[in-house]
Amino acid sequence: MTLQAFLSRRTVTPEGILPRAILVEGGRIRAVVPLDQVPPTAIVHDYADAAILPGLVDSHVHINDPGRAHWEGFHTATRAAAAGGYTSLIDMPLNCLPATTTVAGLEMKRDAARGQCRVDWGAWGGVISDNQGDIEALADAGVLGFKCFLIDAGIEGFSMVSEQELRRALPHVARTGLPLLVHAELAGPVEAATAALGSADWRSYATYLKSRPDEAELSAIRLLISLCREFGFRLHIVHLASSEALAELRAARAEGLPVSVETCPHYLHLEAETIPDGATLCKCAPPIRSRENREKLWQGLKDGVIDLIVTDHSPCPPEMKRLEEGNFRTAWGGISSLSVALPLVWTDAQRRGFTLSDIARWMAEAPARLAGLEGRKGRIAAGYDADMVVFDPETEFVVTEMNLYYRHHVSPYLNEKLRGVVEATYVRGQLVFANGEFPGENSGREVCRHDSPR
Ligand SMILES: [Zn+2]
């Protein structure tokens, strides 16, 4: 087997940011050693002052394949991922057709992925109103966990769950030991707020923001915490947008409940105050809230109440964003950012005093742990897959369509100046992206909970 050595004066390891060589053999990291201890037989890749981080893991991506590959697809999503420094994507069970709510649906997804993937991928299974009987079979078939909605998901094929339906599902979920990822907004407060808006102007961002109040998130999270206490399942709150829920999430964890929390680049970067009317590129649910709220989310990351940052990459054909009419009521909600999320988060994080170690924890290690991939993905350490991103953290660039790579080049970040450039991405020791090119074959494979332990 060939021995490769990847050298950097800023290798981001669990012990800190150190001058280290990463020795790779057979797709795995064999050892991480000081720069003067590289065996003479090794093929050396010297990245000098560029940092090497663990390949990023995005546990919240909508690949939309099979069935809606014209929205995105395995081929385009995993290329965008490689260009963005991501080496593993975990696909959400909705927006594809069929949704991943049965074992047959999972098998169709595997067929769609075959030969198409630049990076590794895994599947979340769906919990919907009537598939309680499929949950344990999906776990046996290899999903990494489950996802459900407490409010209408806004797409056919994936029904929301009521509290009653969720109560029927939870004993099954708990038995699998896998996490349940929940879109935490309750319909009641959203319906009441929307009704109270009367004939408000839906081109105004303020109207959209009022229609999805903090209370919708807060009441959902309260319900979920109490169900977590009652049923003992692993609860994960997806895309937390409201900082008002942080205190109760902190208390739940202090109580010892198995609760984890994510937020997304758009909630950490954008702010309601500066979203222009009609700017439906910024529509997502829950909505982007105030500047003050955004700063509290950063504080939540600092305090460790928020564990991870994921993209919620959720593409659609550009016409569904209804950019001409700019109507926040009818436009598709979802923001795509796979290929620019790392510089986007880094630009804001370094300004607030965070380091590349924080980035590695939020965007690689913690999402890998959520998906049960600890020990295999998310760290630069012996025994782990040799998934790496070479990142120049100082160089600035302006985002253009050239940087997007996913199928439809739609983004609220075009023309923004960001800091940090992905120079190269390696999956299991193989170069999959370098300086705008995609060398070699599509060698991404499914990561499954049944893969042999190390
Ligand atoms: Zn999502």
Side-chain angles (χ1 to χ4, degrees):
M1 267 192 290
T2 318
L3 179 68
Q4 300 187 85
F6 298 85
L7 280 57
S8 162
R9 278 188 268 284
R10 292 188 280 183
T11 300
V12 182
T13 75
E15 291 75 42
I17 303 169
L18 303 166
R20 285 291 182 271
I22 305 162
L23 305 183
V24 172
E25 203 173 39
R28 289 198 199 152
I29 298 172
R30 199 175 78 178
V32 182
V33 300
L35 294 176
D36 59 4
Q37 291 177 24
V38 176
T41 54
I43 297 166
V44 171
H45 311 264
D46 189 351
Y47 284 107
D49 285 324
I52 303 182
L53 287 85
L56 306 183
V57 178
D58 194 344
S59 55
H60 193 151
V61 185
H62 298 269
I63 297 177
N64 301 348
D65 202 356
R68 287 197 185 88
H70 55 297
W71 291 24
E72 181 64 289
F74 278 101
H75 180 70
T76 44
T78 59
R79 276 166 74 94
Y86 284 96
T87 52
S88 301
L89 304 181
I90 318 298
D91 181 45
M92 281 296 173
L94 68 158
N95 301 9
C96 45
L97 279 171
T100 318
T101 52
T102 62
V103 173
L106 176 63
E107 292 302 337
M108 287 175 76
K109 183 164 287 293
R110 287 171 170 157
D111 288 342
R114 201 158 293 128
Q116 298 296 308
C117 297
R118 262 294 96 193
V119 304
D120 287 351
W121 71 282
W124 299 122
V127 168
I128 55 174
S129 58
D130 58 358
N131 78 331
Q132 294 85 6
D134 295 292
I135 291 170
E136 286 167 75
L138 278 163
D140 291 340
V143 300
L144 300 168
F146 298 94
K147 163 82 179 286
C148 72
F149 276 71
L150 298 187
I151 190 167
D152 180 52
I155 195 149
E156 67 179 289
F158 203 90
S159 49
M160 59 171 280
V161 288
S162 66
E163 183 185 340
Q164 255 38 56
E165 289 155 351
L166 190 54
R167 284 177 168 278
R168 284 204 290 279
L170 286 175
H172 299 284
V173 172
R175 267 201 290 279
T176 67
L178 298 176
L180 179 64
L181 289 66
V182 189
H183 181 120
E185 286 182 292
L186 286 189
V190 172
E191 282 161 10
T194 304
L197 285 166
S199 58
D201 175 11
W202 280 91
R203 286 194 82 256
S204 157
Y205 184 74
T207 300
Y208 178 60
L209 180 57
K210 280 187 209 141
S211 76
R212 298 193 91 117
D214 291 87
E215 178 58 25
E217 285 190 72
L218 195 55
S219 54
I221 287 169
R222 281 186 187 136
L223 169 64
L224 289 164
I225 289 172
S226 76
L227 291 171
C228 177
R229 191 181 290 121
E230 184 179 338
F231 288 91
F233 67 100
R234 284 172 63 196
L235 169 64
H236 179 75
I237 305 296
V238 297
H239 49 47
L240 180 75
S242 172
S243 63
E244 288 185 18
L246 286 169
E248 289 180 51
L249 289 164
R250 184 196 317 260
R253 284 154 67 122
E255 187 188 327
L257 295 176
V259 179
S260 54
V261 184
E262 70 183 35
T263 192
C264 307
H266 36 275
Y267 301 121
L268 295 166
H269 184 73
L270 301 168
E271 54 188 27
E273 290 88 338
T274 54
I275 296 177
D277 289 350
T280 52
L281 290 176
C282 299
K283 180 181 174 184
C284 58
I288 292 152
R289 303 189 187 278
S290 70
R291 183 179 307 144
E292 186 190 355
N293 180 76
R294 179 187 69 191
E295 294 312 309
K296 288 180 180 165
L297 292 178
W298 278 105
Q299 188 64 41
L301 281 161
K302 189 169 190 178
D303 296 343
V305 183
I306 301 174
D307 305 85
L308 51 125
I309 302 174
V310 291
T311 63
D312 192 6
H313 181 81
S314 182
C316 66
E319 55 275 17
M320 288 180 66
K321 277 292 190 184
R322 298 181 186 266
L323 297 171
E324 263 131 62
E325 59 204 90
N327 186 325
F328 279 100
R329 187 160 210 178
T330 51
W332 173 256
I335 296 178
S336 300
S337 64
L338 261 178
S339 56
V340 293
L342 173 56
L344 197 60
V345 175
W346 173 239
T347 300
D348 293 331
Q350 50 92 31
R351 229 180 250 152
R352 291 172 173 82
F354 295 103
T355 70
L356 290 174
S357 292
D358 297 307
I359 297 287
R361 200 175 66 252
W362 297 329
M363 300 179 79
E365 185 174 347
R369 192 184 317 122
L370 173 69
L373 304 176
E374 66 273 19
R376 294 152 64 186
K377 302 284 189 192
R379 278 185 169 205
I380 290 181
Y384 279 69
D385 283 352
D387 297 344
M388 300 170 285
V389 51
V390 180
F391 184 62
D392 165 359
E394 277 91 26
T395 297
E396 295 185 330
F397 72 103
V398 174
V399 179
T400 69
E401 288 194 24
M402 295 278 289
N403 302 112
L404 298 181
Y405 296 102
Y406 42 86
R407 186 177 297 284
H408 301 291
H409 296 167
V410 171
S411 170
Y413 307 120
L414 286 175
N415 303 316
E416 282 214 43
K417 187 195 267 187
L418 300 180
R419 173 171 288 217
V421 173
V422 174
E423 292 187 355
T425 306
Y426 291 86
V427 174
R428 288 176 274 101
Q430 258 180 283
L431 186 64
V432 296
F433 173 81
N435 306 311
E437 306 281 326
F438 297 91
E441 303 293 303
N442 284 335
S443 57
R445 57 167 89 130
E446 185 186 358
V447 286
C448 200
R449 62 187 290 249
H450 300 310
D451 293 348
S452 55
R454 305 265 158 92

